[in-house]
Amino acid sequence: MVKLCVGADDVDDLADWQARLLKKLPAPVHHTRMYPKRAEEMLKGGSIYWVIKRAIRVRQRIIDIRTIKDEEGKDMCELVFDPELVRTYAQPKRPFQGWRYLKPEEAPRDLKSGAEAVDLPADLDAALKNAGVW
């Protein structure tokens, strides 16, 4: 699943927001109106890929998908994530509403930890890939 991370300037912003959530909740969550039709498939090792500043930059494993009620008593979906943020190679993504399914073969690769885990701007990452640098 791929989703815009509205309001975050970088992966650190997302991490800070989720750290504040973890002070109140046992795991990071996100609420959405629609329940995914492919929920069972996503619970078998699926991740949410966060789009930050027009590029997929990080993912989180989805550990649960629940139906909850909003303040008005309407059904909503609560996505529950593993707290670990896994940085990915930046992959440009145009703006869209809601969320989209992401085919495994279209998902960006994870960055390795350490020195390789640099959050490059999407255009620089694409230029390096086109030049055959990686």
Side-chain angles (χ1 to χ4, degrees), residues 9-12 52 57 87-88 90 111 116-121:
D9 288 327
D10 53 34
V11 176
D12 291 335
I52 301 172
R57 298 183 183 277
R87 290 178 185 255
T88 66
L111 283 171
E116 284 189 60
V118 175
D119 195 15
L120 294 176

Side-chain angles (χ1 to χ4, degrees), residues 40-127:
E40 188 175 317
E41 178 184 339
M42 291 177 4
L43 289 171
K44 295 179 181 174
S47 291
I48 188 164
Y49 287 79
W50 291 108
V51 177
I52 301 172
K53 296 294 182 187
R54 295 184 165 255
I56 297 171
R57 298 183 183 277
V58 65
R59 71 175 180 84
Q60 281 181 286
R61 194 170 55 85
I62 298 170
I63 58 174
D64 199 6
I65 301 174
R66 308 175 193 155
T67 300
I68 62 167
K69 302 281 184 190
D70 69 7
E71 298 85 30
E72 299 172 2
K74 294 180 184 175
D75 283 348
M76 290 190 71
C77 177
E78 181 176 71
L79 302 171
V80 183
F81 309 120
D82 182 319
E84 181 184 12
L85 292 169
V86 180
R87 290 178 185 255
T88 66
Y89 284 95
Q91 179 174 305
K93 191 77 175 164
R94 292 180 150 192
F96 58 93
Q97 289 186 339
W99 44 265
R100 302 286 186 266
Y101 293 109
L102 185 63
K103 295 177 184 173
E105 63 271 13
E106 294 175 0
R109 292 182 300 135
D110 293 350
L111 283 171
K112 304 225 187 308
S113 60
E116 284 189 60
V118 175
D119 195 15
L120 294 176
D123 55 345
L124 176 57
D125 185 61

Side-chain angles (χ1 to χ4, degrees), residues 122-134:
D123 55 345
L124 176 57
D125 185 61
L128 291 169
K129 286 177 186 170
N130 287 339
V133 176
W134 64 54

